[in-house]
Amino acid sequence: MSDTGAIDRMPSTLRQAAIEALLEADLDRKVERTNTACRLWFGRRLGVHAPTDPALPDRPGRPAEPMLVSPRTVKRRSVHTPAGRIAMIHALAHIELNAIDLALDIVARFAAEKVPRSFFDGWMTVAQEEAKHFGLLSRRLAELDSHYGALPAHDGLWQAVEATSHDLGARLAVVPLILEARGLDVTPSLLEKLHAVGDRETAAILEIIYNDEKKHVAIGAKWFRFLCARQGHNPAERFQELVRACFRGEVKAPFNDRARAEAGLTPTFYRALSPLSR
């Protein structure tokens, strides 16, 4: 249960604001806290971090539903039936909710890193846009007489936080450059299917998400290259090393090479990691 009084007290640091949003279990209030943190940060009314900041949680705040299950037990979703489209939108809403917390976590966890202030500008922009995506998908579920939490979901995305909690470079490699980049690969075909079944409303939301996700991957690529330059690493080689060490899933082909390249993620990064593309 969240601290109901905390939302009335303005945070003094970005790290505090991000952690309070992470801890929030009420999802409307989580979005509100995220947007408030962005407004205060971009208004230059927050410091970055302070010794009095609250402790970073092991897990984000969540409501009682949806029930979390193993990724292997989540059924495949078809857009060709109303129930299938609802299940697909629910799964996307779950991804976007996790994406809010992933962006907040990178800000809070690595607040003491020696990076330019614009690093935090980028990730708070990501947090704000992921909150927008979650809202769009939640409202679409309501239009279809459903809601987020009505179906089971899996907890695979948060495992990326645990696997990369020790290193900013690993976090950048796995979250924006593997997980978010995957969205660039699969969304175009999903858009085609939605248009084919006449679901223009959901397709319009996915267009917004797709274009924003290109920016998110680009932010990840920018700061990954920044770290590699500072540490004297070859970016593509370092990326492959970190992914092999920290990512538990598969790097799946086919790839949307054009969209990835537009975001600064060229095939030299990821092709060697996918057996099917060698």
Side-chain angles (χ1 to χ4, degrees):
M1 187 173 180
S2 61
D3 177 1
T4 56
I7 202 162
D8 299 321
R9 298 192 300 270
M10 288 297 104
S12 59
T13 71
L14 178 62
R15 187 173 190 272
Q16 177 189 353
I19 289 172
E20 288 176 353
L22 266 171
L23 286 167
E24 182 58 67
D26 181 291
L27 300 186
D28 289 336
R29 288 160 64 91
K30 182 185 287 287
V31 169
E32 181 183 348
R33 286 185 185 275
T34 299
N35 289 330
T36 296
C38 291
R39 185 176 68 252
L40 293 172
W41 173 251
F42 289 116
R44 298 309 186 225
R45 295 168 59 188
L46 298 175
V48 178
H49 63 95
T52 55
D53 291 339
L56 188 66
D58 291 332
R59 298 188 60 79
R62 286 286 185 270
E65 295 179 326
M67 179 176 65
L68 296 179
V69 298
S70 166
R72 292 185 294 274
T73 67
V74 177
K75 296 180 180 179
R76 295 181 66 85
R77 298 166 290 274
S78 169
V79 303
H80 297 288
T81 66
R85 287 195 293 280
I86 288 172
M88 180 269 294
I89 296 165
H90 189 280
L92 292 174
H94 185 66
I95 290 171
E96 297 301 325
L97 173 60
N98 275 274
I100 300 170
D101 288 325
L102 287 165
L104 294 169
D105 184 88
I106 198 172
V107 166
R109 189 175 299 274
F110 300 104
E113 286 278 334
K114 293 181 179 179
V115 291
R117 191 179 179 98
S118 56
F119 173 88
F120 301 106
D121 291 347
W123 292 109
M124 291 309 293
T125 297
V126 172
Q128 190 171 43
E129 291 181 345
E130 305 293 17
K132 175 185 70 177
H133 301 164
F134 179 73
L136 289 169
L137 292 165
S138 295
R139 288 189 287 275
R140 182 62 181 145
L141 285 171
E143 291 170 358
L144 298 172
D145 297 322
S146 188
H147 65 276
Y148 177 70
L151 299 170
H154 69 78
D155 200 33
L157 287 175
W158 198 250
Q159 294 174 4
V161 167
E162 298 164 351
T164 60
S165 62
H166 63 292
D167 180 73
L168 176 57
R171 175 63 60 84
L172 293 170
V174 170
V175 175
L177 303 187
I178 290 288
L179 298 179
E180 291 216 56
R182 183 62 181 158
L184 302 184
D185 301 333
V186 302
T187 302
S189 63
L190 186 53
L191 281 167
E192 289 181 7
K193 293 174 184 176
L194 287 169
H195 282 296
V197 298
D199 190 347
R200 293 185 297 273
E201 294 82 3
T202 304
I205 294 171
L206 261 65
E207 289 277 8
I208 293 169
I209 293 174
Y210 179 68
N211 289 322
D212 285 346
E213 297 297 348
K214 285 184 187 178
K215 294 186 290 182
H216 302 174
V217 175
I219 290 168
K222 169 186 173 179
W223 291 110
F224 185 79
R225 291 178 186 276
F226 170 87
L227 287 183
C228 288
R230 189 167 70 182
Q231 297 165 357
H233 295 304
N234 175 286
E237 292 175 0
R238 181 62 174 161
F239 174 77
Q240 293 162 19
E241 176 185 342
L242 289 169
V243 170
R244 290 188 176 107
C246 301
F247 183 59
R248 302 173 188 174
E250 296 180 42
V251 181
K252 299 178 181 178
F255 301 109
N256 186 342
D257 290 325
R258 180 175 178 176
R260 284 169 170 253
E262 289 173 355
L265 189 61
T266 56
T268 55
F269 277 74
Y270 53 85
R271 286 284 178 183
L273 294 169
S274 177
L276 294 180
S277 65
R278 290 174 191 166

